[in-house]
DNA sequence: CAGAATCCCCTCAGATACTG
DNA sequence: CAGTATCTGAGGGGATTCTG
């Protein structure tokens, strides 16, 4: 890889399942979101995978985590970093590109795609 | 997935190993590139994977293939479609983003990253 | 030259169960 | 609530061999 590391490495963790959807989910609503809140809004993701992705994204500097251990039960919240907020624009461009060129794919008609979040 | 199909489906094939690097490779130099030419310029990719990716990208409409069977040996060439050329801008944005934010990753110092192709 | 066919490994993600 | 631990299966990718 050597000289092709930047995009390659970026794709390495962004291409993991749920990663982009998690980023997108965190971009909605209030700043800080609880683990259970994220999980609930993304029906099919398991706690294991969500936990893994959040940790990876945190290591990559895309997600911040704050924990309030004085609460019972413990309150753990996540939000996007400025780095990730800029990435949102690119994800948006990707959506626009997909909408423009791939709109007629069999399983997602134009109506759905125009309305869908990603 | 349902309402999140566009970006998700796009990521599905773009996130496969070598896919983005192949697109990037096809964007360089002359229009049409031969199989062996692509393979030679991407040291570590195997013929199997390169063949698979090219076929997937062709199915997705990102790559065109023309074959001259009158030659011996057969001449098979590939190039990007207009759809893929627009995607290049987004890949470029992704590189710029990575350069800006992830420049200090351990295995790729600033010098390499500024010079590297992706 | 341009792949196709096999074989094999190994990672990733899902399911389930458990814990402070 | 917010995870972790363990097991499992599918499949993506590498290495090698073969072919028109």
């Amino acid at each position: 890889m050597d000289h092709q590391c930047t995009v390659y490495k970026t794709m390495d963790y962004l291409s993991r399942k749920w990663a982009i959807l998690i980023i997108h989910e965190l971009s909605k609503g209030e700043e800080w979101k609880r683990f259970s809140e994220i999980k609930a809004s993304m029906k099919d993701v398991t706690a294991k995978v969500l936990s893994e992705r959040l940790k990876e994204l945190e290591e990559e500097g895309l997600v911040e985590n704050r924990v309030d251990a004085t609460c019972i039960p413990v309150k753990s919240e996540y939000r996007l970093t400025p780095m990730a907020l800029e990435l949102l624009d690119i994800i948006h461009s990707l959506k626009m590109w997909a909408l423009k060129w791939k709109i007629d794919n069999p399983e997602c008609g134009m109506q759905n795609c125009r309305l869908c979040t990603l």
Side-chain angles (χ1 to χ4, degrees), chain A:
Chain A
M1 280 305 126
D2 304 336
H3 291 278
Q4 292 154 336
C5 55
T6 49
V7 168
Y8 191 82
K9 287 196 168 186
T10 301
M11 288 297 289
D12 184 44
Y13 59 86
L14 284 186
S15 66
R16 301 263 168 91
K17 217 165 184 182
W18 302 104
I20 286 195
L21 294 179
I22 290 168
I23 293 173
H24 183 264
E25 194 56 41
L26 284 173
S27 75
K28 297 191 294 187
E30 302 100 70
E31 257 209 330
W32 294 95
K33 292 206 168 196
R34 303 190 65 160
F35 186 87
S36 55
E37 196 181 348
I38 304 168
K39 183 160 177 354
S41 59
M42 304 177 61
K43 276 238 162 186
D44 294 332
V45 74
T46 62
K48 178 204 170 201
V49 173
L50 179 56
S51 172
E52 284 174 356
R53 284 309 92 82
L54 284 170
K55 195 165 292 176
E56 290 160 12
L57 291 173
E58 195 182 346
E59 280 167 12
E60 295 294 337
L62 300 184
V63 161
E64 291 180 273
N65 180 28
R66 76 170 178 197
V67 180
D68 185 351
T70 65
C71 303
I72 294 177
V74 173
K75 193 168 158 189
S76 180
E77 295 175 306
Y78 299 86
R79 72 168 175 188
L80 298 178
T81 63
M83 187 195 298
L85 291 175
E86 283 193 22
L87 189 62
L88 279 176
D89 294 339
I90 298 175
I91 295 175
H92 184 74
S93 305
L94 202 57
K95 179 192 171 179
M96 290 300 114
W97 177 86
L99 281 174
K100 176 176 178 186
W101 293 101
K102 315 284 289 178
I103 203 67
D104 55 350
N105 70 69
E107 278 146 86
C108 186
M110 187 152 178
Q111 300 85 350
N112 281 345
C113 278
R114 289 282 172 209
L115 295 173
C116 76
T117 51
L118 270 183

